[in-house]
Amino acid sequence: MDLTLKIWRQASATAKGKFVNYKVQDISAEASFLEMLDLLNESLVQKGEEPVAFDHDCREGICGACSLYINGRPHGPDRGITTCQMHMRNFKHGETIVIEPWRAKPFPVIKDLMVDRSAFDEIMQAGGYVSVRTGGVPDANAIPISKRNADLAMDAAACIGCGACVAACKNASAMLFVSAKVSQFALLPQGKLEANERVRKMVARMDELGFGNCTNTYACEAECPKEISAANIARMNREFLVAKITAPKE
Amino acid sequence: MGKTIHYASITKKIVMSLAGLFLTSFLVVHLTINLFVLFDPSREMFNQAAHFMATNPFIQTFQWVLFIGFILHMIFGVVLQIQNWMARPVRYEKKGSSELSYFSKFMIHTGVVVFIFLIIHFANFFVKAKLGEVESITYASGTYEDLGNLIILLFKDGAYVAFYVVAILLLGFHLDHGFQSAFQSLGLNHSRYTPFIKLIGTLFSVLITLGFVAIPLVIYFS
């Protein structure tokens, strides 16, 4: 199929960006979206032009590196997958595809379609860890954890930190990401010890970084490649409320 | 307003939801009393109820709590919205097409229209009643201010009826998202109860809207 790509080009973090149209031809429906961009870049390099910069790493949908806001949706038109796993069969011959970087104040553009997502790392540094030694892998069932909580914690831990939730949210809120991280610890005994402190610190850092506030639109849940549930956001709200109410006087 | 900004995002959301849920109780009471106008042509029941609301000491105290609820809901709503706009200084070229709770996109817009409506509504009824500009009417049970007549006179004005109906419809949309959203903000999400809360929220919004819209339409066309 032949396509027109309308791509955001920005030479550096401080440069002024603009959209540039590119034509690509004979794209196979079986090609992944990133393979299609690879073909474009090869042709640009051959012409002596600067290739389009975009983030990618494992191309197996598990690393969280790839991004791209494609035709008004993070990770493109398919549900529950990352851009690298999304294939060209989702598009029609002759279509124009608009490709933009994630847009959020805490995710500044580095170059073209690449954004700096280290704001997520900063939130993790604020409390997204367990500071006790949990030792090696324990024997099965040595620590009693209900099957339900184990499953919920595992589902929350499936978050790959790609930032699609922030990109999709009309408020650029990071609540789905932060709530998944808060939940994966809060649901397990090892994480429970510091749960109150953790949620307060992570939410405070999230706010400081300039992410928006959650208005419960659930666009994040619809676009998350790992289909993290917005029920995690409610859990974090609950955790936060309890942490605030029970916090000792300083 | 300066201090409001420094509350944690979730604290602000909790205040929003508590104030919002509290305000819905006011809608129920208000609608119940308004409906008296339709079911009692002599307006005695309505005027009596209005008199009770204006003189009962408990209601009079509660009125201030309600007023604070409105103010908190509005201030926090505006602060949250401004922060949300600031969180995305560069907009997307292509409009977002993610699946989402539809009316959630317009909470600030519907909220502002309802606020404007409130001011006009306040000037039309509350202020007039407080300034004693309303005529009296005498029934067997006593003499009351004829607020019921004020309603009927206003609802004979087509432009006002149109504005009233539009404002109430937008209030309905605001409620439909707001009701379930309040529970989510308070951390009350449960696989078993959340679908039920959403259903209750929608039913509540539809009933409140139908109730409030019916009154001006019936009066205008009768």
Side-chain angles (χ1 to χ4, degrees):
Chain A
M1 64 182 94
D2 301 343
L3 300 158
T4 305
L5 306 174
K6 187 176 177 186
I7 300 178
W8 180 259
R9 300 301 310 261
Q10 185 174 334
S12 70
T14 48
K16 206 172 159 345
K18 65 172 194 300
F19 281 95
V20 178
N21 284 325
Y22 297 97
K23 300 262 183 211
V24 285
Q25 277 156 351
D26 292 327
I27 299 294
S28 158
E30 270 88 59
S32 79
F33 198 81
L34 296 188
E35 283 165 347
M36 182 274 296
L37 286 180
D38 290 340
L39 290 171
L40 168 72
N41 275 347
E42 269 177 38
S43 74
L44 288 178
V45 170
Q46 275 166 13
K47 281 190 271 182
E49 288 177 37
E50 184 75 12
V52 178
F54 60 90
D55 273 314
H56 62 104
D57 191 14
C58 76
R59 298 208 178 194
E60 289 180 339
I62 54 171
C63 74
C66 63
S67 55
L68 307 185
Y69 194 79
I70 304 159
N71 280 350
R73 289 181 64 183
H75 295 300
D78 234 340
R79 214 186 155 95
I81 53 169
T82 54
T83 297
C84 64
Q85 297 285 291
M86 194 260 295
H87 287 75
M88 296 311 293
R89 54 179 167 267
N90 288 298
F91 301 95
K92 287 190 289 286
H93 174 77
E95 199 176 329
T96 298
I97 307 175
V98 184
I99 312 171
E100 300 173 71
W102 284 176
R103 294 290 191 196
K105 190 170 153 243
F107 286 170
V109 173
I110 301 168
K111 187 179 181 181
D112 298 336
L113 301 170
M114 292 173 81
V115 297
D116 180 359
R117 282 171 282 186
S118 55
F120 271 9
D121 300 329
E122 285 184 46
I123 295 172
M124 291 307 280
Q125 284 158 8
Y129 50 81
V130 174
S131 56
V132 291
R133 276 182 182 275
T134 54
V137 180
D139 287 338
N141 301 324
I143 305 169
I145 300 167
S146 71
K147 166 75 174 139
R148 185 167 162 71
N149 274 7
D151 285 349
L152 287 172
M154 195 64 196
D155 287 347
C159 168
I160 51 176
C162 65
C165 45
V166 176
C169 178
K170 75 176 178 68
N171 311 322
S173 167
M175 289 284 276
L176 193 67
F177 166 77
V178 182
S179 69
K181 299 303 172 191
V182 162
S183 293
Q184 79 184 44
F185 292 113
L187 285 160
L188 299 176
Q190 296 94 329
K192 234 172 205 144
L193 293 170
E194 296 162 290
N196 284 1
E197 216 184 317
R198 176 182 304 112
V199 70
R200 278 189 287 129
K201 285 182 177 170
M202 289 179 80
V203 169
R205 195 77 193 102
M206 169 184 85
D207 291 347
E208 276 166 26
L209 287 161
F211 288 102
N213 306 287
C214 177
T215 50
N216 306 324
T217 70
Y218 313 121
C220 53
E221 183 185 64
E223 295 300 353
C224 175
K226 297 297 153 188
E227 302 186 308
I228 304 285
S229 166
N232 286 300
I233 297 179
R235 182 179 297 103
M236 178 161 79
N237 291 339
R238 213 152 60 218
E239 290 272 330
F240 184 84
L241 190 57
V242 170
K244 277 280 176 191
I245 291 171
T246 60
K249 200 174 171 194
E250 276 161 31
Chain B
M1 226 176 196
K3 210 177 170 198
T4 323
I5 297 165
H6 298 297
Y7 285 119
S9 55
I10 299 178
T11 308
K12 282 185 282 221
K13 290 298 298 180
I14 288 169
V15 173
M16 277 299 279
S17 53
L18 288 176
L21 282 178
F22 173 67
L23 295 179
T24 58
S25 67
F26 156 74
L27 285 176
V28 176
V29 176
H30 198 327
L31 177 60
T32 313
I33 294 175
N34 280 16
L35 285 172
F36 288 163
V37 178
L38 285 192
F39 297 110
D40 174 20
S42 75
R43 307 187 297 274
E44 185 176 353
M45 269 170 81
F46 176 82
N47 285 334
Q48 224 171 351
H51 180 74
F52 171 79
M53 295 301 281
T55 50
N56 183 285
F58 175 74
I59 302 281
Q60 286 301 294
T61 317
F62 200 70
Q63 186 177 287
W64 287 103
V65 183
L66 186 74
F67 188 65
I68 294 166
F70 267 115
I71 298 289
L72 284 179
H73 195 72
M74 287 185 298
I75 292 179
F76 278 74
V78 168
V79 168
L80 284 164
Q81 184 61 63
I82 291 172
Q83 287 183 326
N84 292 346
W85 280 325
M86 278 164 47
R88 179 163 292 140
V90 183
R91 307 259 122 198
Y92 288 113
E93 169 85 0
K94 187 98 175 173
K95 225 171 114 243
S97 55
S98 304
E99 185 188 301
L100 45 75
S101 164
Y102 189 73
F103 296 126
S104 67
K105 281 198 281 191
F106 309 110
M107 292 306 271
I108 190 72
H109 313 94
T110 50
V112 166
V113 174
V114 171
F115 174 63
I116 294 168
F117 170 77
L118 262 179
I119 293 174
I120 295 173
H121 192 64
F122 225 63
N124 281 340
F125 293 97
F126 193 83
V127 174
K128 270 191 187 168
K130 288 283 170 201
L131 292 177
E133 285 179 14
V134 185
E135 285 175 28
S136 296
I137 186 164
T138 307
Y139 301 102
S141 59
T143 302
Y144 307 111
E145 288 184 313
D146 196 1
L147 280 165
N149 193 40
L150 208 60
I151 295 189
I152 291 168
L153 287 178
L154 265 172
F155 286 164
K156 285 291 178 192
D157 176 356
Y160 186 79
V161 169
F163 169 65
Y164 188 95
V165 169
V166 169
I168 296 294
L169 279 177
L170 294 181
L171 171 68
F173 297 151
H174 196 82
L175 284 176
D176 183 60
H177 173 73
F179 193 87
Q180 56 88 17
S181 180
F183 285 86
Q184 169 82 0
S185 292
L186 290 170
L188 303 172
N189 180 306
H190 192 281
S191 53
R192 192 190 278 176
Y193 305 112
T194 297
F196 182 67
I197 289 170
K198 285 187 180 171
L199 180 72
I200 293 286
T202 304
L203 282 177
F204 177 76
S205 326
V206 170
L207 285 178
I208 289 285
T209 310
L210 284 180
F212 275 114
V213 163
I215 299 165
L217 291 183
V218 168
I219 291 175
Y220 185 72
F221 290 107
S222 65

